[in-house]
């Protein structure tokens, strides 16, 4: 959280209240000495005087939200099949992993979620008062209210995924402890929650991809980190809500809004590369898997390409071209990235590790250059005598030390966007498009014209060019056309698997709705492992298909390969969807 105090202090020092509100929102307030100057004694009654105070409130809430990172990863990954516990793990982590969680488990306390939600409620109330009293412009109100409103909805979605039936509280409450009597707050089902979140989020007055445009005081660069991607991307979140509700066309409309964001950017490399999953080895969007020498697996490059998008600096263009939402940690402030404590053998307690299922998934793939595994695995974990260690969540930890635990919380990337858009397209009868985005891209899938000796398109007619475009109406129309005179915005697209050099799955899946849906979720496991998406993916698909085994079998395989004696009992338990949810206990 202190990272954001520093960000605020690097603004133009409008008023001391900026820092005060941040301290209040993050719970870091302390009493002042009597000899301090009056301006250092700004109290909460002055906390929402102007837009600068509103900026500080936003930063403070995001600082508090950052404190949910550890719970978010453990609940969304350890409960699924890609993450396992080590011998160092305590019994409560083991409970999460094998679904024997008891009410006293400290990793399932819902209060930290509600603590952030209550601050969101308070901010939303005060933003409304500020615009009413003309202490904030309508434009500033729209941006601030929509950002914090969407963040609150996002946190509620996580609560629903984890706990099922929960209290939905949107009015300010004086203190989180006032919620102890839950009988005052009736619970709603997860499906009812989705309806409420969708109704609220789609009505927010500002729906742009970035919460705050360039030039806004909240968009700054501090210590090499830009704050532009720090705030929730509302179209991506709204699309996900539509996906949960099986409204695939509306989901696609919001996903495509992000894809099209940079299409008219005068920096043409951005227009062709950002968010479009390209095989671009230049500085604009290099997220490929590359080797110093082709077919020599010992020359896999770690400091450029796919691995580099997780690097510290968010001025890294590969990061900017891939990330919709990510929050950085700063090495100057404690406690730093909590994933070090969970994952690192050298700088932490080494409590969690990649599951054997995750490792086997990567090893079952094959690269086009003949290397018999998916290199994303090697770039996501390392091996040693102590066991496999997740490195993806601790950034490029060559720079790590006991005092430097930098990194970022990865919340939403372009490849996740592609896979979810592909999921919507597949369900909307556009399986070939979904297959293309997952595998080797639009041109390689749809193009029917002539090719050069090297296999690249060599269009000679209008019909050739036309076949480089997806043959569907909006929101499934994608233009990848290319010749010497014209380039469509998607002409560089190579697909999620194509970007990392992994061979495509069989084309028969283009017309196999359920088969492709499963493969898309499997691909998300290869691409976004450990990032916090796995449990929601399993719950969403198992619910949609009315197939509990989709979830239960995957968790069972993890436990079986780990030698967990509860494997069979856990599978039986998870075949009942009522058992997918954690006990909601307000202590």
């Amino acid at each position: 959280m202190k990272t954001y105090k520093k960000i605020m202090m690097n603004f133009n020092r409008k008023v001391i209240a900026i820092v005060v509100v941040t301290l209040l929102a993050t719970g870091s307030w302390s009493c002042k000495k009597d000899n301090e100057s009056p301006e250092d004694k700004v109290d909460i009654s002055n906390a929402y005087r102007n837009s600068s105070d509103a900026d500080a409130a936003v930063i403070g809430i995001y600082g508090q939200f950052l404190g949910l990172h550890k719970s978010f990863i453990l609940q969304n990954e350890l409960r699924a099949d890609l993450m396992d516990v080590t011998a160092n793990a305590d019994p409560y982590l083991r409970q999460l992993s094998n679904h024997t969680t008891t009410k006293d488990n400290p990793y399932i306390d819902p209060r930290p979620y509600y603590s952030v939600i209550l601050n969101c409620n308070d901010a939303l109330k005060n933003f409304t008062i500020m615009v009413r009293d003309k202490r904030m412009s309508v434009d500033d109100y729209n941006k601030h209210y929509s950002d914090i409103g969407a963040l609150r909805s996002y946190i509620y979605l996580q609560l629903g995924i984890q706990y099922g039936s929960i209290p939905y509280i949107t009015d300010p409450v004086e203190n989180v402890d006032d919620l102890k009597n839950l009988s005052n707050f009736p619970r709603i089902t997860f499906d009812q929650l989705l309806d409420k979140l969708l109704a609220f989020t789609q009505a927010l007055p500002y729906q742009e991809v970035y919460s705050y445009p360039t030039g806004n005081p909240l968009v700054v660069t501090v210590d090499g980190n830009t704050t532009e991607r720090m705030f929730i991307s509302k179209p991506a979140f709204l699309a996900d809500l539509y996906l949960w509700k099986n409204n695939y066309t509306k989901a696609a409309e919001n996903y495509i809004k992000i894809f099209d964001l940079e299409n008219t950017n005068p920096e043409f490399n951005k227009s062709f590369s950002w968010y479009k999953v390209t095989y671009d080895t230049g500085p604009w969007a290099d997220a490929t898997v590359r080797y110093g020498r082709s077919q020599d697996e010992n020359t896999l490059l770690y400091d450029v390409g796919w691995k580099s998008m997780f690097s510290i600096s968010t001025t890294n263009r590969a990061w900017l071209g891939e990330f919709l939402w990510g929050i950085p940690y700063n090495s100057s402030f404690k406690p730093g990235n909590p994933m070090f404590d969970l994952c690192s053998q050298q700088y932490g307690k080494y409590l969690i590790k990649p599951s054997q299922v995750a490792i086997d998934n990567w090893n079952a793939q094959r690269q086009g250059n003949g290397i018999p595994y998916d290199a994303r695995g090697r770039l996501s974990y390392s091996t040693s005598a102590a066991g496999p260690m997740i490195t993806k969540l601790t950034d490029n930890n060559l720079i790590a030390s006991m005092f430097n635990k930098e990194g970022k919380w990865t919340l939403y990337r372009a490849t996740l966007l592609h896979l979810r858009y592909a999921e919507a397209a597949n369900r909307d009868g556009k399986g070939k498009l979904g297959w293309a985005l997952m595998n080797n891209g639009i041109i390689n899938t749809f193009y029917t014209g002539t090719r050069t000796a090297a296999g690249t398109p060599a269009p000679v007619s209008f019909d050739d060019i036309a076949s480089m475009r997806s043959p569907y109406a909006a929101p499934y129309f994608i233009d990848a056309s290319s010749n010497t005179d014209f380039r469509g915005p998607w002409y560089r697209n190579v697909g999620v698997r194509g970007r990392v050099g992994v061979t495509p799955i069989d084309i028969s899946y283009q017309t196999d709705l359920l088969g492709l849906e499963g493969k898309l979720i499997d691909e998300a496991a290869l691409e976004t492992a450990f990032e916090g998406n796995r449990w929601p993916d399993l719950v969403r698909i198992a619910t949609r298909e009315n197939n509990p085994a989709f979830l239960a079998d995957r968790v069972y395989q993890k436990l079986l390969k780990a030698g967990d004696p509860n494997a069979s009992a856990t599978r039986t338990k998870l075949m009942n969807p009522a058992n997918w949810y954690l006990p909601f206990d307000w202590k």
Side-chain angles (χ1 to χ4, degrees):
M1 277 78 83
K2 292 183 179 179
T3 299
Y4 303 101
K5 298 179 206 172
K6 185 170 183 179
I7 289 173
M8 294 309 298
M9 294 176 70
N10 276 273
F11 286 168
N12 57 9
R13 297 180 176 274
K14 294 179 181 177
V15 286
I16 194 68
I18 291 176
V19 178
V20 173
V21 177
T22 304
L23 289 167
L24 288 168
T26 57
S28 302
W29 181 256
S30 60
C31 296
K32 302 292 183 182
K33 296 179 181 178
D34 291 338
N35 61 355
E36 289 178 329
S37 62
E39 68 174 332
D40 291 329
K41 294 183 178 179
V42 180
D43 61 35
I44 193 163
S45 65
N46 293 318
Y48 287 94
R49 297 175 302 179
N50 52 43
S51 289
S52 296
D53 296 344
D55 290 345
V58 169
I59 293 296
I61 288 170
Y62 272 88
Q64 189 185 21
F65 172 68
L66 196 61
L68 301 179
H69 186 184
K70 181 177 179 179
S71 294
F72 183 93
I73 295 299
L74 289 176
Q75 291 178 1
N76 282 322
E77 294 291 346
L78 191 55
R79 298 182 69 212
D81 59 334
L82 306 178
M83 186 180 284
D84 203 355
V85 293
T86 70
N88 300 333
D90 61 50
Y92 295 117
L93 285 176
R94 296 181 187 279
Q95 288 180 4
L96 275 183
S97 184
N98 64 18
H99 293 265
T100 58
T101 310
T102 54
K103 289 184 177 181
D104 63 338
N105 191 309
Y107 299 109
I108 68 166
D109 185 359
R111 288 180 301 175
Y113 291 99
Y114 278 97
S115 181
V116 186
I117 285 170
L118 293 183
N119 275 331
C120 291
N121 291 347
D122 186 68
L124 294 175
K125 178 195 75 172
N126 280 287
F127 293 161
T128 302
I129 293 172
M130 289 175 73
V131 73
R132 182 198 67 192
D133 295 345
K134 296 183 170 32
R135 286 180 276 131
M136 174 190 277
S137 71
V138 173
D139 183 62
D140 277 345
Y141 167 80
N142 288 344
K143 292 182 175 66
H144 288 70
Y145 188 93
S146 299
D147 178 30
I148 295 303
L151 182 66
R152 185 185 71 182
S153 292
Y154 179 83
I155 298 169
Y156 265 125
L157 176 62
Q158 297 307 313
L159 280 165
I161 290 168
Q162 301 302 330
Y163 299 95
S165 177
I166 62 166
Y168 182 62
I169 304 164
T170 58
D171 294 325
V173 177
E174 189 66 28
N175 191 294
V176 70
D177 288 333
D178 293 340
L179 298 176
K180 287 181 179 178
N181 186 3
L182 284 181
S183 62
N184 294 332
F185 300 95
R187 302 186 192 186
I188 60 176
T189 66
F190 183 30
D191 197 54
Q192 290 171 331
L193 175 67
L194 288 171
D195 288 336
K196 288 183 177 294
L197 296 181
L198 191 55
F200 175 80
T201 307
Q202 67 186 358
L204 290 172
Y206 189 77
Q207 296 280 353
E208 297 308 306
V209 174
Y210 302 140
S211 289
Y212 307 97
T214 302
N216 186 283
L218 283 168
V219 180
V220 296
T221 298
V222 179
D223 295 339
N225 291 313
T226 177
T227 61
E228 184 180 53
R229 304 293 201 276
M230 190 183 89
F231 308 103
I232 186 170
S233 178
K234 292 177 290 298
F237 174 62
L238 184 57
D240 284 352
L241 287 177
Y242 281 121
L243 199 62
W244 277 96
K245 291 297 295 182
N246 301 331
N247 190 335
Y248 309 114
T249 303
K250 292 294 292 184
E253 287 174 359
N254 282 275
Y255 291 132
I256 201 75
K257 181 176 183 179
I258 302 168
F259 290 141
D260 290 344
L261 178 68
E262 302 290 347
N263 284 0
T264 59
N265 194 308
E267 295 187 66
F268 72 90
N269 279 303
K270 290 182 181 179
S271 68
F272 294 138
S273 295
W274 281 16
Y275 303 141
K276 294 185 172 71
V277 182
T278 65
Y279 196 87
D280 185 346
T281 58
W284 292 97
D286 183 9
T288 61
V289 167
R290 289 195 279 141
Y291 295 84
R293 293 184 300 275
S294 180
Q295 298 180 310
D296 184 351
E297 60 184 290
N298 295 317
T299 64
L300 178 65
L301 299 178
Y302 288 78
D303 56 344
V304 296
W306 195 86
K307 177 74 172 179
S308 72
M309 78 174 83
F310 302 99
S311 67
I312 298 299
S313 174
T314 59
T315 56
N316 174 350
R317 284 175 170 174
W319 188 90
L320 291 171
E322 175 76 14
F323 272 70
L324 283 169
W325 191 15
I327 307 180
Y329 289 93
N330 189 296
S331 63
S332 301
F333 300 107
K334 293 181 179 180
N337 184 353
M339 296 302 108
F340 277 93
D341 193 48
L342 291 173
C343 302
S344 178
Q345 296 171 359
Q346 186 175 4
Y347 304 118
K349 298 177 182 177
Y350 184 47
L351 303 175
I352 58 176
K353 63 181 181 180
S355 69
Q356 192 59 49
V357 164
I359 293 171
D360 290 347
N361 287 345
W362 281 310
N363 288 341
Q365 311 305 310
R366 187 175 185 86
Q367 297 177 54
N369 60 8
I371 294 176
Y373 54 78
D374 188 336
R376 286 174 293 185
R378 303 297 194 272
L379 299 173
S380 299
Y381 76 95
S382 63
T383 55
S384 71
M389 179 176 69
I390 297 170
T391 57
K392 189 183 198 181
L393 302 181
T394 53
D395 213 324
N396 295 325
N397 76 15
L398 293 174
I399 64 172
S401 71
M402 290 300 295
F403 307 102
N404 182 357
K405 295 181 179 179
E406 292 182 315
K408 62 176 69 74
W409 184 1
T410 299
L411 284 151
Y412 218 112
R413 296 199 284 119
T415 41
L416 180 63
L417 190 74
H418 278 241
L419 292 170
R420 290 189 173 165
Y421 176 76
E423 182 183 326
N426 178 50
R427 277 284 173 172
D428 242 356
K430 315 296 189 296
K432 189 172 183 178
L433 176 59
W435 186 97
L437 293 171
M438 172 185 164
N439 288 282
N440 58 3
I442 302 301
I443 289 180
N444 288 325
T445 302
F446 289 97
Y447 180 61
T448 58
T450 58
R451 293 179 179 269
T452 66
T456 57
V460 294
S461 71
F462 176 80
D463 288 340
D464 287 343
I465 296 174
S467 71
M468 295 177 176
R469 303 174 179 127
S470 62
Y472 312 115
Y476 298 112
F477 175 75
I478 293 179
D479 185 2
S481 55
S482 173
N483 66 10
T484 56
D485 300 316
F486 176 77
R487 297 285 187 272
W490 284 77
Y491 89 96
R492 293 181 180 176
N493 170 252
V494 293
V496 176
R497 291 171 73 83
R499 186 174 73 172
V500 297
V502 178
T503 57
I505 65 171
D506 194 270
I507 62 171
S508 63
Y509 284 99
Q510 293 179 5
T511 55
D512 180 354
L513 188 150
L514 292 181
L516 181 57
E517 185 161 80
K519 288 294 184 180
L520 287 166
I521 299 305
D522 290 345
E523 186 62 27
L526 300 168
E527 172 69 26
T528 71
F530 320 134
E531 295 177 29
N533 303 303
R534 189 58 171 171
W535 183 255
D537 280 351
L538 297 182
V539 170
R540 187 176 67 257
I541 303 304
T543 301
R544 179 187 299 151
E545 296 183 0
N546 192 25
N547 179 18
F550 187 93
L551 179 151
D553 285 348
R554 285 165 169 80
V555 176
Y556 168 72
Q557 286 299 319
K558 177 186 82 168
L559 299 176
L560 184 67
K561 291 185 177 184
D564 191 310
N566 289 304
S568 294
T570 296
R571 184 190 183 281
T572 299
K573 181 178 181 179
L574 294 177
M575 286 299 291
N576 180 354
N579 294 324
W580 295 349
Y581 302 106
L582 295 170
F584 186 93
D585 187 49
W586 201 268
K587 299 168 185 170

